Amino acid sequence: MRERLQRFMQGRYGVDQLSNFIVVVAVVLLVIELFLPSFKIRSIVNLVAVCMLVYSYFRIFSRNHYKRYAENERFLKYFVRIQRWFTKKQRRFAQRKTHRFFKCPCCKQSIRVPKGKGKIAITCPKCSTEFIRRS
Ligand SMILES: [Zn+2]
């Protein structure tokens, strides 16, 4: 049985981050679906989730490594960007009591300053523009 599975999977693409992501989103949709009141919306959500699962399996069993790899790379490019954005928000939230964050009016660089120092002149480390803010 195990050998047959191994033979079946030979030359196939396998699991990657994009497939994992699609499966997770599909499962989340299937859970959400349980709480939806309208039968019509429930069946649409169910259909979308099932299509996503079928697509992820299609990717896992695909023999076109080149195309699947390119899809995953494209996905990762956006995913990493979104991940970074969340990490930044998380870090700022953790420091909200001790620091304030400002954007440079000139180059949009974000600048962190200690909180509670009154009106201060902030010099942008990137473009040296000076601006005054209440910290
Ligand atoms: Zn600047």
Side-chain angles (χ1 to χ4, degrees):
M1 183 63 201
R2 216 175 135 188
E3 241 171 69
R4 271 174 69 180
L5 185 72
Q6 261 175 2
R7 210 172 320 129
F8 177 72
M9 284 308 288
Q10 212 158 52
R12 297 190 190 260
Y13 183 67
V15 179
D16 64 5
Q17 291 94 334
L18 178 56
S19 299
N20 276 333
F21 180 77
I22 294 170
V23 169
V24 168
V25 172
V27 170
V28 168
L29 282 179
L30 288 173
V31 172
I32 289 172
E33 183 215 325
L34 296 173
F35 301 100
L36 293 173
S38 149
F39 175 76
K40 227 180 188 173
I41 297 172
R42 250 194 341 256
S43 33
I44 291 169
V45 170
N46 188 280
L47 183 71
V48 170
V50 168
C51 285
M52 287 171 83
L53 287 174
V54 168
Y55 179 62
S56 72
Y57 275 96
F58 156 76
R59 291 192 74 254
I60 290 165
F61 296 136
S62 169
R63 290 183 190 279
N64 190 344
H65 289 225
Y66 178 78
K67 235 178 176 171
R68 302 291 88 79
Y69 181 80
E71 284 166 2
N72 193 47
E73 285 295 295
R74 239 175 302 149
F75 162 73
L76 283 178
K77 211 172 83 188
Y78 290 107
F79 190 72
V80 164
R81 223 180 280 169
I82 292 165
Q83 224 173 11
R84 253 189 233 138
W85 185 84
F86 272 108
T87 313
K88 198 169 117 186
K89 291 286 166 202
Q90 216 174 13
R91 209 181 305 135
R92 280 188 181 193
F93 187 75
Q95 298 177 347
R96 73 193 181 283
K97 284 185 176 148
T98 54
H99 292 86
R100 284 204 69 178
F101 294 85
F102 296 106
K103 239 182 202 149
C104 169
C106 186
C107 70
K108 309 292 177 218
Q109 165 77 38
S110 99
I111 300 161
R112 189 184 76 154
V113 297
K115 214 172 179 173
K117 305 281 183 206
K119 253 189 183 174
I120 52 169
I122 301 164
T123 309
C124 173
K126 200 171 162 190
C127 69
S128 313
T129 302
E130 204 169 284
F131 56 100
I132 292 165
R133 293 283 186 277
R134 183 175 296 281
S135 70

